[in-house]
Amino acid sequence: METPLEALEVERRFADWLNGIVSPLNDEQVQKMLRCEHGGISETLADLYADTKNEKYLRISEDILSEAILDSLKEEKDVLPGKHCNTNIPKLIGLSRIYELTGDTSDRKAAEFFWNTVVRHHSYVTGGNGNEEYFGPEDKLRNRLGEGTTETCNVYNMLKLSEHLFEWDASARVADFYEELSLITSFLLRIRNQEMSPTIFHLTWAGIKIFRIRSLLPAVSVLDGKPLKVWQNIYYHNDNELFIFQFIAQNLTGRKKKLW
């Protein structure tokens, strides 16, 4: 098993390899490359900068931000209809992490606008979003129901984005949304405990679409990690306050700064 330092070295070398590919490209070439789904690369590189304090990794993280989407969101324009959901949610997670490291308020503005737009105008009553993996027209959901509704990858990444927003402003609305999605996660956890241990890709309105597969696909890795969200983030605290983020049966033990 790798030690944390060995794992960090692997991550650093991979980032250096990526830098060798991206650095020679001009901005137009980079943006063309970013048209496809590229996951949480920007977030990972921002975290690597936080771990190493090497400015190179922050620069790469910012260089591979998708301008076509993020610039519009910074101007509070809903450009999501027709866009692939889980290509874009991780972009805002990465932007949120960059905000936390640089303090650029335009990044936070984009992340908050995106979250509010998805939650208020593109989400079903369960809190999930997307049909056949894509956002549709704003506030028009009843005709977009089927076997491909509410991909669970989207749910997982909206949970991640919600964590960032709550840490900034301890919003009850964000907590309520997170808890709502956690109820779905609890249901998925019970399904996963079945003997066959299936992987659920879509939580549809006509049932659930289940894959019994063994794969290294990123989507499967996300789905395998999603049930763990049930047990995360039950409490938050700062120096003066304790926040109950989810109402889940549990016991709080230990003491920290005499908050409880």
Side-chain angles (χ1 to χ4, degrees), residues 186-218:
S186 300
F187 167 74
L188 297 179
L189 184 60
R190 288 193 291 272
I191 296 293
R192 287 296 305 276
N193 284 337
Q194 294 180 2
E195 183 178 352
M196 292 297 293
S197 188
T199 294
I200 299 171
F201 194 62
H202 292 106
L203 182 62
T204 74
W205 292 86
I208 55 176
K209 182 182 289 186
I210 294 177
F211 295 88
R212 288 186 173 90
I213 56 178
R214 295 188 180 278
S215 171
L216 294 179
L217 289 172

Side-chain angles (χ1 to χ4, degrees), residues 8 20 22 24 49 67 98 113 122 128 135 143 145 167 176 180 186 194 199 227 241-242:
L8 182 63
V22 174
Y49 161 70
E67 296 173 355
I98 291 173
F113 175 76
H122 294 281
F135 290 114
N143 295 324
L145 303 172
E167 289 173 1
D176 287 344
E180 181 178 276
S186 300
Q194 294 180 2
T199 294
E241 300 166 295
L242 175 70

Side-chain angles (χ1 to χ4, degrees), residues 92-124:
L92 279 301
I93 298 172
L95 199 68
S96 298
R97 189 69 184 109
I98 291 173
Y99 159 70
E100 292 165 355
L101 295 168
T102 67
D104 187 337
T105 56
S106 68
D107 294 341
R108 173 174 174 170
K109 178 181 178 181
E112 291 176 330
F113 175 76
F114 176 86
W115 188 92
N116 280 302
T117 301
V118 171
V119 172
R120 295 181 178 180
H121 303 292
H122 294 281
S123 293
Y124 298 90

